[in-house]
Amino acid sequence: MSNLIKGETGEWEVVIGLEIHAQVVSNAKLFSGAATAFGAEPNTQVSFVDAGFPGMLPVINRFCVEQAIKTGLGIEGKVNETSVFDRKNYFYADLPQGYQISQYQQPIVSGGTVQLDMKDGSTRKIGVTRLHLEQDAGKSLHDQHPSQSYIDLNRSGVALMEIVSEPEMRSAEEAGAYIKKLRSILRYLGTCDGNMEEGSLRCDCNVSVRKPGAAFGTRTETKNVNSVRYVMQAIEYEARRQIEVIEGGGEIKQETRLFDPNKGTTRPMRSKEHAHDYRYFPDPDLLPLELDPKWIADLKNGLPELPDARKARYVADYKLTPYDAGVLVAEQETAQFYETVAKGRDPKLAANWVTTELFGALNRTGKAIQDSPVTARALGGLIDLISDGTISGRIAKEVFEAMVETGKEAAAIVEEKGLRQVSDTGAIEKAIDEVMAKNQDKVAEYRAGKDKLLGFFVGQTMKATGGKANPAMLNDLLKKKLAG
Amino acid sequence: MSLDKDTVRKVATLARIKVPDADLDNMAKELSGVLGWIEQLNEVDVTGVEPMTSVAKMKLTMRADDVTDGGDAETVTQNAPEGAHGFFVVPKVVE
């Protein structure tokens, strides 16, 4: 599969690195005791520390540190026993301190790996450069007043993990897969809820293009893209724009850009002259963060089974395809649901029902798997009816639809609607005889060698039995009778 | 290290401090003096000495993940030059 983009002067390679800001799941903020819940009334979750009042001192939240360690371990990074908090200085109305407490030269986690699951079932490892802890800024609302901005500091001081990837992705699709996998790992760990709509996961995309094998080109950074689809759109657009500029004889400026979700385009941010002079220095209010190796080891021992391991288990134990396994393990809730359905049943059949019929029904009804109209136990019951021959796979789909609508058990619906499969040879033979009697011309054609007509007879007989005939038996008997 | 006028102007801009052009030369001289004085520390050989982060032998204190603060938008915003509906209000900053 080639990821290259065709331009006028030949093929181009896109080089992508992502910076993900993941909001840490915690009750209180990184350096203050104010709450972090989403959607509270403005400025009701603000302490004097978060509002940058003079003389206030930050005190670090141990649990936020723990969450960062767990995440570092979850992406197979190296957790540094000593890391340092620095001040990143800039002025903005929603940053009352005048600096963001972040980590610069000595982050809490160095290195790491995220494994991408591609559509064709292949995998690819993308390196993580670092993960560091930092404070979030407040929120500015610019659309409430013609000449003023409104500032809400509820988010100010909430803990973020900034996770920086190596520039190792080569297509928008890979970037999408990277975010999905990272989000999946964060959710398994319970360290970030991954909710992009609420801004708990935000993405900055670094994109450049080059001729295959050439040195890296100049990159642009598109800020704060807040859905997987938008990230992919922003990258596609940015890559094509850069190719056009270069092929038109122009040069790419290293700049910060904004994504416009309505148009699917990016445009340069109106940046101030010295916007990037952050003048980092160690925060004198905070001593270095020193971690007890035993603490790290204990957290490592307590890690849950992560998506990659679970996927490998599904492939090995359940003999699922890597693709299906990847789909099933992406969300913990789905994996849990699947395991309940598969328990004591044919795991492949269970996987098919979950990924096709159930996902289809959830999509149609707009429900999450936790609120599925058909429970895992009920779906298991339906599969049992298929396995023991009570109903055919085709009828099962009809039963499933009724289950979605009524919430009833499969067995009850089969009884109510009289859908029990006809495995009675006599009844099927009778139906075949009738069909053959009505279509004597076609019987003659079949016997004269027109084999394709078998499908016609199967269809007609199935119809005559209301779809309830056991398909295998029907096929056998029909072939025998037609052969004469 | 001595600072020139342009550097002082840039530092002032970054710090959002308005320095009249007429004061720049004098300020450059003063700041260069301060830096020169501090640079004397470079004369000390600290090879093999661990960086000291605190005078007292202290470790970073941590707190539990409990909500112990906030819930008082009125007090937090009461000194703001302008406010509305619980928000701080500032001149429009558009990006």
Side-chain angles (χ1 to χ4, degrees):
Chain A
M1 184 181 60
S2 168
N3 289 324
L4 301 178
I5 298 183
K6 214 164 169 50
E8 274 171 23
T9 60
E11 294 189 311
W12 293 83
E13 185 177 52
V14 195
V15 176
I16 305 153
L18 297 178
E19 287 169 28
I20 307 274
H21 289 89
Q23 187 181 315
V24 173
V25 171
S26 66
N27 298 320
K29 294 183 180 180
L30 182 53
F31 294 112
S32 89
T36 59
F38 179 79
E41 289 296 305
N43 293 309
T44 54
Q45 297 179 165
V46 181
S47 80
F48 291 158
V49 179
D50 313 316
F53 277 42
M56 303 312 296
L57 289 173
V59 182
I60 199 163
N61 181 334
R62 186 182 159 90
F63 183 66
C64 292
V65 175
E66 183 170 313
Q67 294 283 62
I69 298 172
K70 278 165 81 173
T71 307
L73 295 169
I75 55 173
E76 293 160 8
K78 175 175 167 280
V79 178
N80 296 314
E81 285 171 24
T82 303
S83 63
V84 173
F85 286 101
D86 297 278
R87 292 185 180 179
K88 178 180 179 178
N89 299 280
Y90 68 92
F91 279 99
Y92 202 72
D94 55 26
L95 187 78
Q97 290 170 144
Y99 57 84
Q100 175 192 32
I101 304 180
S102 180
Q103 297 189 301
Y104 188 46
Q105 280 171 338
Q106 290 176 260
I108 185 165
V109 176
S110 308
T113 313
V114 173
Q115 181 173 299
L116 310 189
D117 300 316
M118 305 310 293
K119 280 230 165 67
D120 62 2
S122 66
T123 58
R124 191 158 129 63
K125 287 191 169 182
I126 301 296
V128 171
T129 316
R130 57 185 279 155
L131 176 155
H132 69 250
L133 271 171
E134 63 183 25
Q135 297 176 299
D136 205 346
K139 201 170 161 187
S140 303
L141 303 170
H142 302 299
D143 54 1
Q144 306 291 305
H145 193 280
S147 62
Q148 294 180 315
S149 294
Y150 285 23
I151 312 291
D152 173 11
L153 296 182
N154 280 348
R155 219 177 53 189
S156 167
V158 168
L160 297 180
M161 296 177 282
E162 179 171 328
I163 305 164
V164 184
S165 85
E166 293 288 330
E168 290 178 349
M169 284 158 272
R170 295 290 178 266
S171 68
E173 194 200 347
E174 286 186 359
Y178 175 85
I179 301 175
K180 281 186 198 156
K181 176 50 80 61
L182 188 58
R183 184 172 58 184
S184 173
I185 294 170
L186 293 167
R187 284 182 172 160
Y188 266 70
L189 292 166
T191 57
C192 169
D193 68 23
N195 190 330
M196 294 188 88
E197 296 80 54
E198 290 179 4
S200 353
L201 198 74
R202 310 194 283 272
C203 183
D204 299 345
C205 316
N206 289 293
V207 177
S208 64
V209 297
R210 64 174 175 186
K211 286 284 170 73
F216 285 143
T218 306
R219 68 186 160 86
T220 63
E221 180 181 13
T222 304
K223 284 261 185 206
N224 269 337
V225 193
N226 66 356
S227 85
V228 175
R229 196 164 58 91
Y230 290 164
V231 166
M232 293 172 68
Q233 271 181 16
I235 291 168
E236 288 282 350
Y237 176 83
E238 195 47 27
R240 284 175 199 283
R241 184 192 71 83
Q242 291 185 10
I243 291 168
E244 227 167 84
V245 168
I246 299 170
E247 291 189 332
E251 258 183 40
I252 300 301
K253 260 197 304 184
Q254 182 164 351
E255 63 184 357
T256 305
R257 299 176 70 90
L258 285 176
F259 178 68
D260 182 338
N262 296 320
K263 295 188 201 144
T265 61
T266 68
R267 60 183 155 84
M269 209 157 132
R270 287 196 318 157
S271 53
K272 283 145 235 146
E273 222 177 324
H274 307 291
H276 287 300
D277 197 342
Y278 292 132
R279 294 151 296 144
Y280 283 98
F281 63 90
D283 191 318
D285 288 340
L286 291 160
L287 288 162
L289 177 58
E290 286 174 14
L291 308 177
D292 182 351
K294 186 175 178 300
W295 188 21
I296 302 172
D298 287 348
L299 289 173
K300 189 167 188 174
N301 289 332
L303 287 185
E305 182 186 34
L306 291 171
D308 290 338
R310 200 168 204 168
K311 179 182 161 190
R313 178 162 64 84
Y314 283 14
V315 172
D317 295 357
Y318 296 149
K319 311 285 179 241
L320 300 187
T321 64
Y323 179 78
D324 279 347
V327 168
L328 288 169
V329 304
E331 300 287 344
Q332 249 170 324
E333 293 80 7
T334 311
Q336 206 54 60
F337 191 102
Y338 167 69
E339 287 181 23
T340 309
V341 178
K343 195 166 184 206
R345 303 192 176 93
D346 175 353
K348 280 186 163 174
L349 189 58
N352 279 340
W353 274 89
V354 171
T355 56
T356 55
E357 301 306 319
L358 182 77
F359 280 6
L362 293 176
N363 254 335
R364 275 201 313 280
T365 52
K367 286 195 168 138
I369 199 155
Q370 302 91 291
D371 314 316
S372 170
V374 177
T375 64
R377 206 181 45 78
L379 181 55
L382 175 65
I383 292 172
D384 287 341
L385 294 183
I386 304 169
S387 302
D388 70 12
T390 307
I391 53 173
S392 68
R394 218 170 60 93
I395 290 288
K397 290 187 182 171
E398 194 184 325
V399 175
F400 181 76
E401 289 314 317
M403 291 169 77
V404 172
E405 265 169 47
T406 62
K408 286 184 190 164
E409 296 280 320
I413 291 166
V414 169
E415 283 315 315
E416 234 170 69
K417 298 198 170 185
L419 294 172
R420 190 172 279 279
Q421 178 164 264
V422 179
S423 299
D424 165 6
T425 318
I428 296 176
E429 279 182 332
K430 187 165 160 270
I432 294 174
D433 289 343
E434 279 167 22
V435 169
M436 283 174 65
K438 263 190 240 164
N439 297 284
Q440 284 173 4
D441 49 337
K442 294 217 165 59
V443 174
E445 281 178 52
Y446 179 87
R447 287 183 176 154
K450 206 169 172 191
D451 293 351
K452 273 190 292 184
L453 279 171
L454 181 65
F456 166 81
F457 286 109
V458 171
Q460 289 298 310
T461 317
M462 200 45 116
K463 203 169 149 198
T465 62
K468 289 181 288 185
N470 179 324
M473 287 177 67
L474 172 75
N475 255 313
D476 275 0
L477 291 170
L478 193 56
K479 273 187 195 159
K480 266 184 220 149
K481 289 216 172 234
L482 282 171
Chain B
M1 181 184 167
S2 81
L3 294 179
D4 60 16
K5 215 166 138 176
D6 284 341
T7 310
V8 176
R9 191 184 285 121
K10 189 184 161 199
V11 171
T13 310
L14 285 171
R16 300 296 188 274
I17 296 171
K18 195 173 190 174
V19 180
D21 258 17
D23 296 350
L24 284 175
D25 274 325
N26 199 32
M27 194 158 282
K29 214 180 291 169
E30 279 182 17
L31 285 172
S32 297
V34 172
L35 285 175
W37 184 70
I38 292 170
E39 271 167 6
Q40 291 180 60
L41 288 172
N42 289 343
E43 292 165 21
V44 184
D45 181 7
V46 290
T47 321
V49 181
E50 282 273 305
M52 185 178 74
T53 46
S54 168
V55 183
K57 220 31 192 151
M58 277 174 68
K59 292 225 166 194
L60 182 68
T61 13
M62 299 195 186
R63 90 196 136 68
D65 184 33
D66 298 326
V67 176
T68 55
D69 210 338
D72 191 356
E74 205 175 312
T75 308
V76 165
T77 54
Q78 74 175 358
N79 288 333
E82 219 185 321
H85 320 293
F87 290 98
F88 292 93
V89 175
V90 299
K92 195 150 208 146
V93 272
V94 187
E95 189 58 86

